[in-house]
Each structure stands twice: as structure tokens, then as C-alpha cells.
Amino acid sequence: MNDDRPGNRNSDSGCTGPCGHASGLAIKRRRLLQIGLGSAALPFLASSWGAALTAAGERPELGFKPLPASTDDLLHVADGCTLQLLYAWGDPVSAGPAFRADAGNSAAEQAEQAGMHHDGMHFFPMPVDGSPSSTRGLLCVNHEYTDEGLLHPEGAADRGHARTLKSQNAHGVSVIEIELAAQADGPRWRVVRPSPYARRITARTPMRIDGPAAGAAAMCTRDDRRGNVVFGTLANCAMGATPWGTYLTCEENFDAYFNGLPQPTPAQKRYGIRQRTAGYRWHEHDSRFDVASEPNEPNRFGWVVEIDPWNPASVPVKHTALGRCKHEGATVTLSGDGRVVVYMGDDEQFEYLYKYVSRDPYDAGRPAGRDRLLSVGTLHVARFDGDGRGRWLALSHGQNGLDAGAGFADQADILIRTRAAADLVGATKMDRPEWIAVHPQTGEVYCTLTGNSRRLTADAANPRPANVFGHIIRWREQGGDAAATSFDWDIFVLAGDAQDADPARRGNIRGDDFACPDGLLFDRRGRLWIQTDVPGSLLERGARARLGNNQMLVADVVSGEIRRFLTGPKGCEITGLCATPDGRNLFVNIQHPGEVAAGCSQPGGPLVGSAWPANQFSEVTGGRPRSATVVIRRQDGGVVGG
């Protein structure tokens, strides 16, 4: 996720789930093969699991010629692949209104259209004869935030109630039905319209609060005296998917929506909620976002939200057992005994990595009790030690010093103030934890750390001060069990520019240079896809000047080779990666093309930063740059990237 949004204070750049695997079916349990670490500071260490994969002929090939870096206003993909535009901001979700080139759609119309700034997403295949389809399914797409200068014909000035409603309706999640249909020029994906599954979830959609913090005094407001119902989800960044076929959307930079107090409380300050930081100015027309009017409303954001895409009448659920932070994603896997494990990053400088473990195991044959799997369990935070080992520290009341004497009244208090609890137990402060991916064969876990220019003192897990390029860390749970409380870890790669005059900024990439790794996905063959998010204000400038526009790369995690597969148009972030089960269709989101340094475009010159996608795809309406989902296929119909 980038950091030029209104009210955001980070100075660096913010499909983790089992994308491409059958949803609604049980995720196969992953067994992690134990390995020796050697030096935790050295990347690309030869490992026994890598050797075993190679010997067995299972090591995936990088079957494409790498692209050069690009600075033009087009989307480029490796030779032999095709690009198709599928779903852009303002497109109708189902049988709804079309996008107006002057952004003149009303708030009510926006509620039936694709929201702004596509981010994390997941493909849920339709079951066909008991098997997951690779030609038809549901696509859930996050809409993270808005550029108010593009959203309204008059731009960001003189915002009234109707414009606030439109902005709120441009946030949230889309659920669309898509299919691969035969066309005269070959098969092409299309949005099925109308569709009984299609829906928009916005910053105004009612949703339920569950878990230990539901009903806590700090969750109650004048409109919700029971503390178990909240309107809306926002700042939806990355995501996850459950074995039972539901979608997890994650609330990240929620602080930017609240107008804080002149003297914020310590808890408010810990999450960045201060006076005059609400760049969206919703508080002027919706008192929920004015902390002076509703001091507890910020406590109701910063959660992981579960959505059932198969039931459009279902109510989304905010799961407080997974903790409150600036959630980048929620990557789901299963432990050896079938318990649900969720890995999560808190996307801000010097914040933490978390893991939730359910109390009960998941049973694919017993739907009853699934509502408890993400509401009854234990939240942990990671400590990375300098010897290449680490521990998961339980954030449970009465453990690790988390009790009334330390200022935590109960478990609800710990979960609402998750960051403070992690501070107390001594977790490792990381360089902006972002997306997390689990290797489909080995269970090894990878996490992008997109950077931290404010770091003065390095440590083993964050080995560079003034880390402007970022890195990727990985760990192996003890005994191969995702529910373990200890792990071994190392640095997979230090991003950088090999030509930089400063040796500390050159990184150690074996292949194509990149900066600010963000999105992360393992495909079914074990290739690691890496997406980048250098902020628009920093692209092609300073230390990152030679790297061009943001990009997507593919890594062979055995050899460490990394190749550039895709480059984006000007000013965009590359994000939101998932695939069909057969690996022949790759879905990618192009977020905020043409992003300007101030984070808010001017209506008098909406195309100053970028004219994408209308300059590349004739079927899309122009007038404004538009975030969009694209589909990548190989011309020969093979597995993408292979």
C-alpha cells in the first residue's frame, strides 16, 4: 500500500491466501520439511527441502524472458502472454449504471459500481462435477481508498454530504461473477451481468462484531450500545481466504478517516489518530468519524472482516480475536492437527508480525462450528532473535505480563490495544510487514518488509538502517507445524539497485532489481510472485531512479533467481494477485495509475499523471485514470509463468 493518501504518515511504501486453489474445499495440510539454517543473515541458503524438490523434478521453471524496466504509461507483460482488462473503477457490479467519464456518477450509482483503488483479491472457483472450475467463479476485490480529486467532477473542494456518501461507497469490497467465454478472437474473461452473487460492500454496510472484544465497553457507541454492530469497512488492503470458502478483507490505514482530539489518548496516538489528520473529511458530514463525538468509533476499525461471497444476503463479520492493527493481510493455512492458522502483518514502520491459532480444528465435513474458528483462539506476535531462531509470544490475558497490573483489564482490552500488548511482551519491530505467503509444498512462510527509512539501528531481522529498498524474510515453523510457538528464520532477499554507489543499498538480488516488495503469492508450482509498491512521489527519483515503474517479478526460491515479468503504467502500484486453480489465468490489480505526489489529483488535469487504461484498452471509458483488474494468459494456453 502506498503512503501518499490523505492523513497517512508513513514515509515508505502498504493475495496472501491460497489463490489458485479450490475454495469451499479443504485446504490440504502443509508439512514443513525441517532444514538447517546456517547464518540467518545470508539469503538463498541451500536447504534440504530445496534439494529434495530439485531431485524429485518438482522445482518450478521460470519459463519466460525477463522484461526490462519501464517508465512509460503502459502495462507490459512477458513475451508469449496476453493482457485483458476485466474490471475497472466505475464498472457496474451487475446490472447497474455505467461509468461516466467526468466522474459524474452519484453516490447511489457508485454503490452499484466497482469502487476505487483495487487492491487484494481472491478467485473462488465454481464447483463443477465436484471439482473447482478454472473458467467460472467469483472474484472478490478490495477497494482500498479514494483519490477525491478524481472521484468527483469538482475534485476535493467543497465537500458536502452527497460527496461524503459517494466516497464511502467507493470504499470496501466488490463481489463479481466472472467467466471465460468463447469469442470470435478466442476465449476472453467477462463479468457476468446480471449475477445473483454480485454485491458491493462499502463503508456503510452493516456488519457484525464477534470475538472477545464484542460487547466491550470500548466498542460501544451512542448508536450501538451493545458494541456488536458497526457500519462499514474501509482501508481494505490485502486479504485472505478460508478453507470453507469465505473471503477475509483487512482494514489497514483506518486512522486517516478520523478527526482526532487536540490531546489524543495514548491508545489513540498508538494508532495515529490525531486532530486534523482526517484527509477525507468525512467527520464534517458523518459524526461517527469525529472522535470528539464518538470516542469509541475508531476502536471498531482495524480488524479482519469475513465475507461469504456465496451468500449475498450474509452479514460480514469483524473478527476481534485476530487483533486490531493496520492489517495488511490474513494468510490462512492449517496446523498439523487441523487448527486454523492466520498470519498477519501490521503495515507501518516498526510494527509487528502476528499469528492467530484457533482453539478448534477445522473439519471440512462439519459446517457447524465454523463461526468459532476465527473467534476462539490465541493471538501471537513474533520475536526474531539474532541467532536465526524466533518465538511466537502469546497475547493472552494473564500471560507474558499482560494483566491488570500492566494496564490490561481483560482479553478484550488486549485485542483492542494489540499494538500496546505487543510492545509490552517484547516483539521485534519490523520494517513494515506486508503480504505473507505460504509455500504450497513445504509450508515455509515468506513476508515482504517494504522498507523503513526511519530506522536508525539495524537488527538481525531488519539488517539495514534507512531501509529504502525493503527485503523479504522467511521462516520455518518448528517441527513443520504451523501452530508451533518457535521457528527458524533467515532473509530470503535484500531488495536494491545493484548499481547504487552505496554498497548497503545494492541488495543481493540474483536477477532483476526491484524496491519496496509488497504483494506476494506462491503459485501451485511453488514459484514466488513478488509485486512492488514504490510510492508515486518516489518513483524514478533518488535511490530508486533506475528501477522504473512498479513491477511484478517471479522468484525461484531454491536458486534465488528473480525475473521481471510485468511492468506497470506511470504512478501505479502493482497489487492484488491471484489465479485460477489450473494456473492458466492470472488476475492482477493496477492501483492508482498516475498517482500524484500529494495523493489527490486536480479535476482540471485528471490525466496529468496517467491516461491508463484508456490509452491501452479501447473498450474502456477514459476521462480519468482508473484502477483496474487485468487478466494474464499465455498465448498457447499454458500455465502462466511456466
Side-chain angles (χ1 to χ4, degrees):
M1 171 60 219
N2 77 78
D3 295 288
D4 295 321
R5 299 168 313 285
N8 192 65
R9 286 164 300 283
N10 293 338
S11 59
D12 302 300
S13 71
C15 297
T16 55
C19 294
H21 294 271
S23 298
L25 306 174
I27 296 177
K28 294 180 179 179
R29 297 178 185 176
R30 315 297 189 196
R31 187 173 74 89
L32 176 63
L33 304 179
Q34 296 184 23
I35 68 172
L37 264 181
S39 172
L42 295 177
F44 310 128
L45 296 175
S47 58
S48 60
W49 67 262
L53 289 176
T54 303
E58 297 179 5
R59 178 175 159 188
E61 295 293 331
L62 301 183
F64 62 93
K65 181 181 178 180
L67 289 178
S70 170
T71 59
D72 65 20
D73 195 29
L74 295 171
L75 181 62
H76 299 279
V77 70
D79 288 346
C81 293
T82 63
L83 286 167
Q84 180 200 337
L85 192 78
L86 178 67
Y87 184 61
W89 161 48
D91 285 350
V93 173
S94 186
F99 176 74
R100 290 179 52 176
D102 66 351
N105 293 101
S106 67
E109 290 175 328
Q110 177 62 82
E112 299 180 53
Q113 298 171 322
M116 231 182 186
H117 292 352
H118 300 36
D119 208 307
M121 64 179 168
H122 187 79
F123 177 77
F124 292 88
M126 293 279 189
V128 177
D129 297 327
S131 299
S133 172
S134 287
T135 60
R136 192 177 183 105
L138 304 182
L139 191 68
C140 291
V141 182
N142 286 349
H143 304 294
E144 185 180 11
Y145 70 107
T146 58
D147 180 334
E148 297 292 304
L150 295 177
L151 183 63
H152 314 288
E154 303 85 357
D158 302 322
R159 298 180 201 177
H161 181 67
R163 294 182 194 177
T164 296
L165 293 181
K166 183 177 181 181
S167 180
Q168 292 177 342
N169 287 341
H171 285 71
V173 178
S174 288
V175 181
I176 56 174
E177 183 179 353
I178 60 174
E179 68 172 357
L180 184 64
Q183 303 288 332
D185 57 349
R188 288 177 62 84
W189 284 88
R190 72 179 187 96
V191 179
V192 177
R193 299 184 177 101
S195 168
Y197 298 102
R199 69 191 291 202
R200 273 299 319 283
I201 294 159
T202 73
R204 302 183 63 81
T205 302
M207 44 195 67
R208 182 167 59 88
I209 301 170
D210 86 343
M219 298 290 279
C220 298
T221 66
R222 286 176 297 181
D223 293 332
D224 176 27
R225 298 185 182 278
R226 294 184 178 181
N228 58 10
V229 175
V230 62
F231 286 99
T233 183
L234 47 80
N236 303 90
C237 197
M239 36 54 67
T242 68
W244 50 95
T246 59
Y247 182 69
L248 303 178
T249 185
C250 300
E251 299 177 334
E252 191 195 27
N253 291 299
F254 64 92
D255 58 310
Y257 298 84
F258 288 92
N259 186 51
L261 302 172
Q263 297 295 324
T265 67
Q268 292 165 355
K269 288 177 65 176
R270 190 65 183 82
Y271 287 92
I273 300 168
R274 297 174 173 85
Q275 192 176 41
R276 290 188 292 274
T277 59
Y280 297 93
R281 293 166 49 189
W282 290 359
H283 65 283
E284 296 175 5
H285 302 281
D286 188 340
S287 61
R288 291 189 301 143
F289 296 94
D290 187 356
V291 176
S293 298
E294 284 291 2
N296 287 343
E297 191 70 19
N299 298 335
R300 294 143 66 83
F301 292 87
W303 305 103
V304 174
V305 185
E306 184 177 15
I307 297 167
D308 184 353
W310 303 102
N311 180 5
S314 61
V315 176
V317 180
K318 295 197 178 189
H319 289 295
T320 66
L322 275 62
R324 175 172 167 263
C325 63
K326 294 185 179 180
H327 284 283
E328 178 72 18
T331 302
V332 182
T333 188
L334 296 180
S335 68
D337 59 4
R339 285 177 290 166
V340 176
V341 175
V342 186
Y343 293 105
M344 300 166 286
D346 185 351
D347 183 11
E348 199 162 57
Q349 295 165 332
F350 302 112
E351 293 302 337
Y352 304 113
L353 274 164
Y354 297 93
K355 180 172 79 172
Y356 168 87
V357 182
S358 68
R359 182 193 65 185
D360 302 327
Y362 165 66
D363 185 341
R366 298 183 61 186
R370 289 179 185 171
D371 58 337
R372 295 192 298 273
L373 294 175
L374 297 179
S375 61
V376 183
T378 302
L379 182 66
H380 306 77
V381 66
R383 187 186 74 202
F384 292 84
D385 296 326
D387 60 357
R389 296 180 175 85
R391 292 195 61 80
W392 292 106
L393 308 171
L395 299 181
S396 298
H397 197 255
Q399 297 183 37
N400 296 318
L402 297 171
D403 53 25
F408 293 95
D410 51 23
Q411 187 62 22
D413 196 11
I414 290 172
L415 296 170
I416 294 169
R417 297 191 293 129
T418 302
R419 285 181 167 181
D423 292 341
L424 189 147
V425 302
T428 301
K429 296 179 181 295
M430 307 296 287
D431 286 351
R432 294 196 58 202
E434 300 244 19
W435 295 49
I436 300 171
V438 179
H439 194 290
Q441 280 82 44
T442 70
E444 190 173 42
V445 190
Y446 290 64
C447 175
T448 51
L449 299 163
T450 204
N452 184 354
S453 62
R454 292 170 51 211
R455 180 175 289 279
L456 299 178
T457 304
D459 59 38
N462 305 275
R464 292 186 290 190
N467 183 10
V468 299
F469 285 98
H471 57 288
I472 299 176
I473 198 168
R474 62 182 172 185
W475 62 91
R476 309 154 183 87
E477 301 282 12
Q478 188 67 35
D481 190 349
T485 57
S486 61
F487 55 90
D488 296 323
W489 68 270
D490 68 358
I491 303 292
F492 172 61
V493 65
L494 296 172
D497 176 0
Q499 301 180 57
D500 198 294
D502 182 353
R505 291 185 169 184
R506 292 173 189 164
N508 54 14
I509 301 167
R510 294 184 180 179
D512 296 319
D513 291 339
F514 64 93
C516 302
D518 190 344
L520 207 60
L521 170 75
F522 272 109
D523 65 23
R524 65 193 185 112
R525 294 189 177 184
R527 288 179 293 248
L528 183 64
W529 296 76
I530 304 166
Q531 299 174 312
T532 72
D533 181 19
V534 179
S537 60
L538 300 175
L539 278 169
E540 302 172 37
R541 294 178 175 90
R544 308 171 181 95
R546 281 182 289 268
L547 302 183
N549 296 340
N550 278 307
Q551 55 190 286
M552 184 166 73
L553 310 100
V554 189
D556 176 343
V557 298
V558 178
S559 70
E561 181 187 4
I562 299 177
R563 295 184 187 178
R564 187 180 296 113
F565 178 84
L566 173 150
T567 58
K570 285 184 174 295
C572 82
E573 170 189 349
I574 306 298
T575 186
L577 178 65
C578 60
T580 54
D582 62 7
R584 298 173 188 269
N585 308 275
L586 202 64
F587 303 95
V588 179
N589 279 331
I590 310 302
Q591 189 187 92
H592 60 66
E595 178 185 53
V596 296
C600 187
S601 302
Q602 297 302 315
L607 299 177
V608 169
S610 172
W612 195 88
N615 65 335
Q616 186 167 3
F617 299 96
S618 59
E619 68 269 25
V620 66
T621 302
R624 279 170 168 49
R626 299 167 64 186
S627 296
T629 303
V630 297
V631 189
I632 302 171
R633 290 171 52 82
R634 267 178 41 175
Q635 292 173 348
D636 62 6
V639 174
V640 179

